[in-house]
């Protein structure tokens, strides 16, 4: 069995100034322009030792593109494959000389199917050993920027915010909290502003499109960060709200009751997923159905959470 991951597409440039109409215009432009012709190039630094025994850095090129694109105009849904093309370094065995020789294949690839709902601003995908979450997120950001070059895009995994509560309960001491927050698109801005209060106004006034917050307590400190303090509880409330809608990521570091170090990464430890069989993970109809079911579950879960907070 495999996992179908859900990610939030966010327009990150001029986010504090653009309105819903402008966002819809950008998303409609994406729907029209996305094809299988554009390439996103990424240079990967590779370290090696030269003939003098000194460490050097060279760069390996790899490319990403969309393939086998299908569009549904009524729902603004695009399905297809994301392809990563890169050189592969292997060994080939010479049967005559009875030894292995290094060989490079310049145009090997790995691909995975995706579902992109521009109306809901949701991307879903499965991963492979040579096409992981971070590579897929960066590929979408880079490729979408090719189609609409005057706009910056960010992609973040949608996570289960309640997994943070579980981890905090396991942590007797919290050493460090690192969180990255992305201001929401206009459609979700009002609810977030109510939650963040003055913080949201500060971000807008400073024209900040990404904020990283780091709280740290020395590991030799007997207490760690005070989990019961109002400031900490307020921070966790904001983090959970942002993570649930795919507007950032969070890392926690601490100790359990045994004094063992434990850590939490929202992208790796708490992604919102749907289970899909290996047989169907590249079946367009199944990917579309599970993606839409997952989007409905997210909407229901958020509605239930609102009722719980009010009651």
């Amino acid at each position: 069995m495999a996992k179908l991951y859900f990610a939030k597409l966010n327009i990150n440039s001029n986010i504090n100034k653009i309105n819903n109409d402008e966002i819809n215009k950008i998303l409609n432009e994406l729907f029209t322009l996305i094809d299988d012709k554009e390439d996103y190039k990424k240079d990967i630094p590779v370290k090696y030792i030269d003939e003098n025994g000194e460490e050097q850095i060279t760069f390996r090129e790899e490319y990403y593109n969309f393939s086998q694109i299908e569009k549904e105009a009524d729902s603004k849904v695009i399905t297809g494959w994301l392809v990563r093309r890169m050189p592969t370094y292997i060994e080939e065995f010479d049967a005559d000389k009875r030894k292995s020789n290094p060989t490079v294949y310049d145009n090997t690839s790995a691909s995975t199917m995706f579902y992109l709902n521009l109306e809901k601003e949701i991307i879903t995908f499965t991963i492979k050993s040579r096409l992981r979450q971070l590579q897929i997120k960066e590929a979408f950001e880079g490729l979408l920027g090719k189609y609409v070059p005057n706009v910056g895009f960010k992609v973040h995994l949608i996570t289960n915010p309640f997994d943070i509560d579980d981890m905090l309960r396991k942590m007797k001491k919290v050493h460090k909290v690192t969180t990255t927050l992305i201001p929401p698109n206009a459609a979700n801005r009002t609810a977030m502003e109510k939650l963040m209060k003055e913080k949201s106004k500060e971000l807008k006034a400073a024209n900040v499109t990404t904020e990283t917050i780091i709280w740290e307590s020395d590991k030799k400190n007997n207490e760690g960060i005070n989990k019961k303090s109002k400031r900490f509880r307020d921070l966790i409330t904001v983090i959970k709200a942002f993570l649930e809608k795919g507007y950032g990521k969070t890392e926690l570091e601490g100790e359990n009751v045994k004094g063992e170090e434990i850590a939490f990464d929202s992208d790796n430890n708490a992604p919102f997923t749907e289970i899909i069989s290996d047989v169907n993970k590249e079946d367009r109809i199944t990917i579309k159905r599970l993606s839409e079911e997952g989007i409905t579950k997210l909407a229901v879960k958020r509605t239930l959470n609102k009722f719980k907070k009010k009651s």
Side-chain angles (χ1 to χ4, degrees):
M1 303 296 280
K3 291 181 179 179
L4 185 67
Y5 292 82
F6 288 68
K8 178 70 174 64
L9 171 63
N10 202 40
I11 297 168
N12 197 229
S13 59
N14 299 318
I15 188 61
N16 295 314
K17 299 178 181 179
I18 60 177
N19 57 36
N20 278 333
D21 290 338
E22 292 168 314
I23 289 173
N24 289 333
K25 183 179 178 181
I26 292 168
L27 296 175
N28 287 333
E29 191 175 356
L30 274 178
F31 183 82
T32 301
L33 294 176
I34 285 176
D35 58 19
D36 60 0
K37 304 296 189 295
E38 286 286 352
D39 286 340
Y40 166 61
K41 174 188 171 186
K42 185 172 182 182
D43 294 319
I44 308 297
V46 179
K47 294 180 181 180
Y48 70 97
I49 305 299
D50 65 15
E51 62 273 12
N52 298 318
E54 297 181 356
E55 186 178 272
Q56 303 290 343
I57 295 179
T58 187
F59 289 90
R60 185 187 74 222
E61 295 180 351
E62 61 181 39
Y63 295 86
Y64 294 84
N65 66 274
F66 294 134
S67 173
Q68 304 176 70
I69 293 293
E70 288 187 8
K71 300 181 180 182
E72 298 178 18
D74 292 343
S75 56
K76 290 292 187 291
V77 166
I78 300 175
T79 55
W81 273 259
L82 174 68
V83 182
R84 177 190 178 204
R85 294 140 43 208
M86 65 289 189
T88 300
Y89 300 84
I90 63 171
E91 290 184 351
E92 285 188 346
F93 184 68
D94 186 324
D96 295 329
K97 296 183 179 180
R98 308 301 294 173
K99 69 172 188 175
S100 296
N101 299 310
T103 302
V104 179
Y105 288 95
D106 290 324
N107 197 34
T108 58
S109 67
S111 64
T112 188
M113 193 172 182
F114 71 88
Y115 165 97
L116 169 58
N117 188 320
L118 289 167
E119 190 174 278
K120 303 291 186 181
E121 301 171 19
I122 298 289
I123 303 169
T124 72
F125 55 85
T126 58
I127 61 173
K128 293 185 176 179
S129 60
R130 294 198 297 165
L131 200 48
R132 310 297 293 181
Q133 293 102 312
L134 182 60
Q135 293 164 328
I136 293 171
K137 287 161 56 180
E138 290 181 353
F140 267 98
E141 291 169 358
L143 276 168
L144 297 182
K146 286 281 189 177
Y147 297 108
V148 188
N150 61 325
V151 174
F153 296 95
K154 281 292 182 182
V155 175
H156 280 283
L157 287 180
I158 296 174
T159 58
N160 183 352
F162 300 105
D163 286 358
I164 292 181
D165 292 331
D166 291 338
M167 179 54 72
L168 287 172
R169 281 192 286 269
K170 294 176 183 177
M171 286 185 173
K172 182 180 180 181
K173 288 170 59 177
V174 178
H175 298 313
K176 188 175 182 179
V177 179
T178 305
T179 189
T180 300
L181 304 178
I182 307 295
N185 290 343
N188 297 305
R189 196 176 294 154
T190 302
M192 288 297 188
E193 282 181 353
K194 289 179 181 177
L195 181 67
M196 294 188 71
K197 298 177 183 177
E198 294 304 315
K199 171 62 70 176
S200 182
K201 294 179 182 177
E202 292 170 11
L203 292 176
K204 289 176 67 176
N207 198 27
V208 172
T209 58
T210 302
E211 180 181 33
T212 298
I213 301 169
I214 301 175
W215 285 15
E216 191 166 9
S217 178
D218 193 283
K219 290 185 178 181
K220 295 180 181 179
N221 186 307
N222 291 330
E223 301 297 327
I225 296 173
N226 184 358
K227 294 191 293 181
K228 297 181 179 179
S229 69
K230 183 179 184 304
R231 286 202 66 191
F232 183 82
R233 287 187 282 108
D234 287 347
L235 176 64
I236 295 301
T237 298
V238 170
I239 288 172
K240 287 163 60 177
F242 271 67
L243 291 183
E244 186 179 9
K245 294 183 182 294
Y247 289 113
K249 67 168 292 183
T250 294
E251 298 175 10
L252 303 174
E253 298 175 24
E255 295 178 16
N256 62 19
V257 292
K258 297 180 181 179
E260 301 166 334
E261 292 192 1
I262 54 176
F264 171 88
D265 182 312
S266 60
D267 279 2
N268 293 325
N269 302 128
F272 178 82
T273 61
E274 288 284 324
I275 299 299
I276 185 169
S277 69
D278 290 324
V279 175
N280 289 322
K281 66 183 181 181
E282 294 194 345
D283 177 73
R284 204 182 298 262
I285 294 175
T286 304
I287 290 281
K288 183 173 179 290
R289 176 178 59 80
L290 289 176
S291 297
E292 291 172 353
E293 288 176 2
I295 290 171
T296 300
K297 287 179 184 178
L298 282 169
V300 170
K301 184 162 69 73
R302 288 167 184 164
T303 301
L304 290 173
N305 290 343
K306 288 180 182 177
F307 280 117
K308 287 179 182 178
K309 291 173 184 176
K310 290 179 180 179
S311 60

